[in-house]
Amino acid sequence: MIPRKKIIAGNWKMNKTQAEARVLVEDLLRDIGRFDDAEIVLCPPFTALAAVSELLNTVSNIRLGAQNMHEAASGAYTGEISAAMLKELYVRYVIIGHSERRQYFHEDNATVNRKTKAALAAELRPIVCIGETLPEREANKWKNVLQTQLIEGFAGFGEKELADIIIAYEPVWAIGTGKTASPAQAEEAHQFIRKIVGDKFGATAAEKIRIQYGGSVKPENAKELLSKPDIDGALVGGASLDSRGFTAIIKNACSE
Ligand code: PGA
């Protein structure tokens, strides 16, 4: 069994000005700047990336991620940001296909596929989000939904591509709602995702791939969720906006 290092990412969404971001990052650097039992990633809004990058570039184990990118290298795409623009700021990870992008910006599995391909080509590590809605869970269709998202989102990929991808399982009904999937529900979904990856990309890909859980992760529930064998980290929204909460999630859930 290949050990998988836990990966905790903070998705700040449309929160934090540059000035606010600096305050938060300075606190995080003090509290977890040298933490090494997990990979830690911060995903600020585009406008705060440069400021956060400058602070992280000192001596820290905290890495930088973006919340989105466009698949084209450059061109007439008003309002969009390319992989090269992110790379210049020392961004290493990029969230792709977050449910809010799917819901409000009409991104579908084909978009996710193109963006993931472009991110990999630029040597960014994609954090690809999948997850079912409440009606899909209630109709017991969640397995079909996850399977389709994986097959279409990773169409044309092989074991090599999978090695650089992180999957985030985020049941839409648990995002920002305070409703968390129970650790057993989350583990069941993660096991299913790993099985699909295994069927399609082979046993090694399935064993290596890290699958984060996201959806109302808090200091109180992180430890139990992350103690499950197939839960390899967390994608944290609301609770990552406060240094004490985010630090507690990381220390509670990842200290060896
Ligand atoms: P939440 O968001 O932790 O606020 O539920 C998670 C996410 O959307 O990535």
Side-chain angles (χ1 to χ4, degrees), residues 223-243:
K223 192 176 177 68
E224 209 190 335
L225 283 162
L226 271 82
S227 67
K228 295 290 179 197
D230 288 287
I231 302 185
D232 307 308
L235 183 53
V236 186
S240 72
L241 296 173
D242 156 71
S243 67

Side-chain angles (χ1 to χ4, degrees), residues 11 13 95 98-100 129 170 174-179 214-218 235-240:
N11 173 12
K13 309 193 180 186
I95 299 173
H98 189 278
S99 64
E100 287 149 17
C129 300
E170 298 204 305
I175 295 178
T177 57
K179 278 191 206 161
S216 301
V217 174
K218 299 184 274 290
L235 183 53
V236 186
S240 72

